Amino acid sequence: MQDVLDVVERLPALMKGLALAAAGLLIGAGLRMLQNLSPLAVPAGGGGRLRGGGGAHPAVADPAGAGAACDVDGVAAAMSTVLLLFAIFAPLSLLAVGGLIPLLPEIQRQLVVEHGLLSARAFARGLRAGAGGAGAEHPVGRADGLAHRRALRVLLAALGRQCCRRRRCCALAGGGWLSRNAARPLVKAFRRGAGAAGARAVRGGWRAACRLGSGRGTGVGDGDGLFDRDLARLAASAGRARAWRGGGGAAVLSAPAHTRWAEVLALLALGVAGALQLGKVPPALLAIAGEFGVGLPWAAALLSFFALVAALAGLAAGLAAARLGVRRAPAGRGGGAGGGGLRRGGRALAAVAVRRARARGPRLSRP
Amino acid sequence: MTVAAPTLLAARVAERDRNLALAMWSTFMPAGITLGMLAAPLVEQLGWRGVWAGAAAAVWAAAAAVLLLVPRAG
């Protein structure tokens, strides 16, 4: 009898926990929905904002095309998706005793196989992005290098269009990928990010390209993208390396020829010390509960607060890391904005802007 | 830190050591938690405040090491 009473006594806490979990799920799903409806989202059909050839490039946000996603049908579909997601994740979250990782196969089965909301590839990509944070931008592997190169080509095309308008250099006008409005923020970010030297180098590349274009007498560009490739190559020789070696995130530090293991160990120690903050809690739980005169439930709630604070602070830290560059973020030296710091910050921001233009998160394909 | 350190790590090791370095990095979470658990006897002796202060000191020490050893962006 006493046992039953104990359980009943604890029920409110249990219910509270469940309600919190449900609220969290709803908020997450709601955010997802907002993201889908926001002007930044690319409609599943894609394409509409791109002009000319090179349709493979994901669109940059285009204010003019944003309205279409906000119709009533869209909202209804989004709501049903949210409900579906809730139906999938609510039972999963009840199972998630061992954390997220053990549940991943089941989540994948539900999302990919059962409901067909994501392709297997999109799931993997989302997982990588989620696990990597800013790391998704780090220059590991060839794919990221390719992404940077392609981002550069998009930028070149965007800048080229502007250059052409001003200079009446029609040779470049054929193969444009972006509308002028879409290009403007990119251009701005790139100029700021690459610094004066980079912008100069790129402009130099264009001037050469313009001369080449008129010299060839092509007049109007053929729009098959060939010219864009030439342009990219020219700009590359003119100073892509200079412009991009300084570009954001991890690229601020170039990979050395020899590894200094002391650095690696220092970073590893930092990670271990951070993880220690999680490991220190369970042994101390009883002592804390005793000292504050609260039961184990509240001591356990303390654990949850840890996770909450870590999540919020981690969010801020991740954003800061992406903007300031990784070297400044782990040691927590946020400020110190000298001229160089600002410039580097601008570079990182440009990289983020490029990234935003390039990278599409996994999108739910609504059944 | 969890976000930035792997990026930094990948950028700071030579190409051929990258896999090893990232593999080492992947042990940070279990290692840290294990250390925390192993510190359980200390809770008896120092009290939880002592242990937590020690953990905080460990973070500051590691941050100082990173500041000293990892070069600034050039």
Side-chain angles (χ1 to χ4, degrees):
Chain A
M1 191 57 203
Q2 191 57 41
D3 289 348
V4 176
L5 278 182
D6 277 347
V7 170
V8 170
E9 213 166 79
R10 272 184 219 139
L11 259 185
L14 193 66
M15 296 300 288
K16 234 182 279 174
L18 279 179
L20 271 181
L25 278 171
L26 273 181
I27 290 173
L31 281 178
R32 177 77 227 189
M33 185 180 73
L34 279 181
Q35 195 186 348
N36 272 348
L37 291 180
S38 79
L40 277 177
V42 183
R49 329 204 151 136
L50 301 173
R51 288 216 308 231
H57 289 279
V60 173
D62 182 355
C70 293
D71 57 348
V72 180
D73 284 351
V75 174
M79 277 312 290
S80 71
T81 311
V82 168
L83 288 178
L84 178 61
L85 283 178
F86 184 76
I88 294 174
F89 277 96
L92 282 179
S93 68
L94 290 181
L95 288 174
V97 194
L100 170 72
I101 308 285
L103 268 184
L104 277 179
E106 177 60 16
I107 293 177
Q108 185 182 21
R109 196 183 67 79
Q110 293 264 6
L111 288 181
V112 177
V113 181
E114 203 93 325
H115 297 281
L117 284 166
L118 289 174
S119 73
R121 227 184 123 198
F123 183 80
R125 210 188 313 134
L127 205 60
R128 190 190 78 154
E137 283 175 54
H138 65 55
V140 178
R142 279 185 56 214
D144 286 327
L146 279 179
H148 266 203
R149 269 207 291 284
R150 285 174 65 185
L152 180 80
R153 283 188 62 191
V154 174
L155 274 170
L156 284 173
L159 285 165
R161 187 171 278 281
Q162 288 216 327
C163 152
C164 290
R165 286 227 158 182
R166 217 172 40 240
R167 290 173 180 277
R168 297 183 167 281
C169 176
C170 302
L172 293 178
W177 286 323
L178 301 165
S179 72
R180 243 160 60 88
N181 273 343
R184 200 166 289 140
L186 269 182
V187 173
K188 215 181 277 170
F190 185 65
R191 288 228 172 104
R192 253 212 327 249
R200 227 176 10 248
V202 172
R203 270 202 299 274
W206 259 315
R207 229 165 272 140
C210 285
R211 271 202 302 277
L212 186 72
S214 47
R216 262 200 299 200
T218 46
V220 180
D222 43 14
D224 62 359
L226 257 185
F227 198 86
D228 289 319
R229 265 210 299 285
D230 292 344
L231 179 62
R233 207 170 295 139
L234 269 172
S237 61
R240 178 183 66 184
R242 208 157 24 130
W244 278 87
R245 199 163 292 146
V252 170
L253 297 167
S254 53
H258 294 286
T259 307
R260 285 175 53 208
W261 288 104
E263 286 177 25
V264 177
L265 288 181
L267 283 169
L268 186 60
L270 188 66
V272 171
L276 188 60
Q277 310 308 311
L278 291 177
K280 76 187 178 183
V281 180
L285 211 52
L286 273 177
I288 294 173
E291 186 166 329
F292 289 111
V294 294
L296 269 184
W298 272 109
L302 178 77
L303 257 179
S304 312
F305 289 142
F306 263 69
L308 185 66
V309 169
L312 291 179
L315 189 67
L319 290 173
R323 279 161 180 70
L324 297 178
V326 284
R327 163 61 175 77
R328 319 171 129 241
R333 298 172 41 156
L342 271 182
R343 208 173 53 238
R344 268 196 295 277
R347 278 181 196 158
L349 205 62
V352 170
V354 171
R355 189 79 198 167
R356 276 190 85 115
R358 274 280 317 149
R360 257 196 297 196
R363 286 188 54 80
L364 299 175
S365 45
R366 299 196 184 100
Chain B
M1 175 197 77
T2 316
V3 178
T7 313
L8 191 50
L9 205 56
R12 282 306 300 168
V13 296
E15 193 94 31
R16 61 199 157 85
D17 295 326
R18 193 173 277 162
N19 287 347
L20 177 59
L22 287 178
M24 281 166 69
W25 169 256
S26 68
T27 63
F28 86 98
M29 186 57 87
I33 290 184
T34 308
L35 277 181
M37 298 289 184
L38 286 178
L42 292 177
V43 175
E44 299 287 320
Q45 290 176 8
L46 304 174
W48 65 272
R49 285 167 203 279
V51 174
W52 285 30
V59 173
W60 283 108
V66 169
L67 271 181
L68 281 178
L69 291 171
V70 182
R72 293 185 67 85

